[in-house]
Amino acid sequence: MLRPLFRYAAVLFFAPATTAIATGCKCGPEDACWPTHTEWIALNRSVSGKLITDVQPAAPCYPGPFQDDAACAYVASQWTNEAFQASTAIGLSFPTESCPIVDVKAGEIPKGNCTIGDQPVYTINATEPGDVARGVKFARKYNIRLVIRDTGHDILRRSTGYGSLQIWIKYLRKGVTYQSKYVSTDGCSKSAWTGSAFKISGGYIWSDILGEAASRKVVVVGGGTPSVGCLGGWMQGGGHGPAVHDFGLGADQVLEAQVVLADGRTVTANQCQQSDLFFAIRGGGGSTYGVVISTTVKAHPTVRVAAQQLCFAPLNSTNTPDFMKAVEAVYNAYPALSDKGYSGYGSWSIASPTPLVYNYNYTIGGDIAANFTTGFTHTIAAFGKSSPEAQAIFAPVAAKLSNFAKSLFINITYSSFPAYSDYYSALSGIVQPVGVSPVLGSRLLDRSALTSPKLGETLKTIAGTQEQFTSNNIAFVGGGQVSKGASDPYSGVNPAWRNSYVHNIVARGLPPGADEATKNAVYKDITNVKVQAMKNLAPNTGAYMNEVSNQN
C-alpha cells in the first residue's frame, strides 16, 4: 500500500502552527518550525518521488476519505500475515492501538477513530543509499524526529514516533555477495576471521540469505524467524537464533558495516576505523548510532545436526503439580545440556488459549485425540552429534521425567539432519502470526538461577493462573560460543548474555476491547509480579533488549 506523497495531501498535509516549539524539543506538525509544503515537495524531488504520506493500513475500515469495505476486508484477511505488515510503510508486526483492524465480514463496526497516532507522518521509501542520507540531513536541518524501519518486526516499536519522518530500508537492495575468504573493504587486518563471509547490502531478510548459505554449504547465523531483517534491530540488539550457541550471537558475526551518520556521511565501521561505532552497532541497539545500510557477516562451515523434540502434559487437572515439577526438572537441566552441546527453543503454559501438545494415539473420554492446553514442548539440537549421541546426553533428564509416567503424557523423539539448513527448514525457521500486541516481559537466566532451590516457586509465579492464559517462551540459546563472546573487545552486547543460558519470555494477551483498567492490571501483573519474580531469581543478569516490555 505505497502511496505517493501528494495523492492525499488535502487530507494529510500538516500545516505549521503559529507558536514556536520549546528549545530542545523536536519539531512537530503543529509547530511553526514544521517544514512548509514547498520544503516537503523539495524533499520528495530529492529522493526521486519516493516520499510517502503515511496512511494507517486499517484506514479503509473507518469513516472518512479512505473508507472502502472491500479494501478493509482484504486488510483484515492479511492482518496476521507478517509479509503483509512488512510490505506497508507503517504496518507493524505488533501494532499500536491508534487504528485497530475491523473485521467487517464478521459484522464488526469501528469503535473510535483511526488516527496516525505515534506513527510517522511521512516515509522515505529508500532504494538508494543517497535516499537515506538525504532523509537524515532533512530531519537534522528541520529538527524533526527521525525513525528507521526495515520490516517493522519490533516489539519495542522503535520505528514509531509522533510527528516523525521515517526512513524505510526494506527496498534498499544492492545485492548479497559471498566471499570464500573474508577481505575487508579498506584492507583492515585486525580481524582474526579467516573464514568465508557474506556482504549483505540492504534491507534483506534472513530467508533471502539462508538459501544462499545452504547452496555454499555454510551457516550464516540468522533469526529463528526467517522474515526478520538482517541489518536492523535484530543484529544491532544482539540477535539470537538456532545457531548462536555454536557460532555466537548475531552481533558477534559482524565483521564490518557501512553506516549513515547523523550528518549524512556514509562511513565504514570495523576494527580499524570508526571502531567505537563498530562496537556500538554490534549489540548496543538498533537505529541509535546511525543507519546501517550494509554489513559483512561471518559464514561458518555447515555441520550435521541431531535434534530432539520433547513434549509432556498432565493427564488430568489433578496432575498439574507433577507437570510443574517436570518443567522445573527440564529448566534445571538446561545448563548441563548446554555444556554438552544442546540448544533450542520451547514454550509452556498451564492454560494456553490453543493446544500446545497433541497426542493422536491417546484418548480422553472417547475423543480421538487428546489436545492439551496445559503442556510443555521444546525442540533442541546438538550440532555435530549423531542421534544416539544426543539421546545419551539427554538420558539423565529422560530418567527424571520417567518418574512422572503415570501422571503425564510424555513423548520424546529424535531426528538427524546432514546439514544445518535441513534442520532449520524442518524444525525451525517458522514465521509466526502477527497483528496483536501481547503484554510481555523477559529475563536472562544464568546457571545459579536455573539450579536454584527457588526455581520451582518462580516457575509457579510466572505460570500464572488458569484465568490469565499466561505463556512462557524459552530461548535456550546461551552458553557455548555466546559465552565465549565475552572476550570480544568490540562487542556492545549486554554482558548478561555471556553468562546466561535461557532467555525466558512471559506473556499474556489482552481481551478484545479491554478497558484501561484491565490493561493496566495485566501490565502490572507481568511487570510487578512475573518479571519481578524472575529478577529475584536472577538478580545479576538483565534482559534482552529486543524482547522486553514496551510499557517500561
Side-chain angles (χ1 to χ4, degrees), residues 12 14 28-30 34 54-59 62 90 92 95-100 113-122 145 147 157 159-165:
L12 292 178
F14 292 88
E30 68 280 3
W34 187 253
D54 289 326
V55 178
Q56 291 277 21
Y62 290 80
I90 57 173
L92 296 171
T96 65
E97 297 181 353
S98 53
C99 188
N113 299 316
C114 173
T115 68
I116 199 70
D118 63 356
Q119 293 278 55
V121 177
Y122 297 115
R145 181 177 287 111
V147 299
R157 300 172 184 156
S159 54
T160 63
Y162 171 73
S164 60
L165 171 64

Side-chain angles (χ1 to χ4, degrees), residues 268-359:
T268 295
N270 57 27
Q271 294 179 16
C272 293
Q273 59 173 316
Q274 301 286 342
S275 58
D276 55 346
L277 179 62
F278 183 60
F279 166 87
I281 64 172
R282 296 174 81 239
S287 304
T288 304
Y289 308 99
V291 185
V292 177
I293 58 173
S294 173
T295 59
T296 302
V297 298
K298 299 173 183 176
H300 309 264
T302 196
V303 293
R304 64 175 179 171
V305 179
Q308 183 224 73
Q309 292 173 281
L310 164 69
C311 63
F312 55 84
L315 296 179
N316 58 60
S317 59
T318 64
N319 299 137
T320 300
D322 279 355
F323 169 76
M324 291 303 302
K325 290 177 183 177
V327 173
E328 181 181 1
V330 176
Y331 269 73
N332 190 256
Y334 278 146
L337 291 173
S338 174
D339 293 344
K340 293 183 178 180
Y342 265 120
S343 65
Y345 290 87
S347 63
W348 62 277
S349 176
I350 64 166
S352 172
T354 57
L356 273 174
V357 175
Y358 298 86
N359 177 18

Side-chain angles (χ1 to χ4, degrees), residues 16-72:
T18 57
T19 57
I21 195 166
T23 303
C25 294
K26 292 296 182 182
C27 185
E30 68 280 3
D31 296 307
C33 53
W34 187 253
T36 65
H37 196 192
T38 301
E39 289 162 336
W40 284 111
I41 289 174
L43 174 62
N44 187 43
R45 287 174 179 165
S46 75
V47 295
S48 304
K50 289 174 283 192
L51 188 66
I52 301 167
T53 299
D54 289 326
V55 178
Q56 291 277 21
C61 302
Y62 290 80
F66 310 118
Q67 187 169 22
D68 182 326
D69 286 349
C72 175

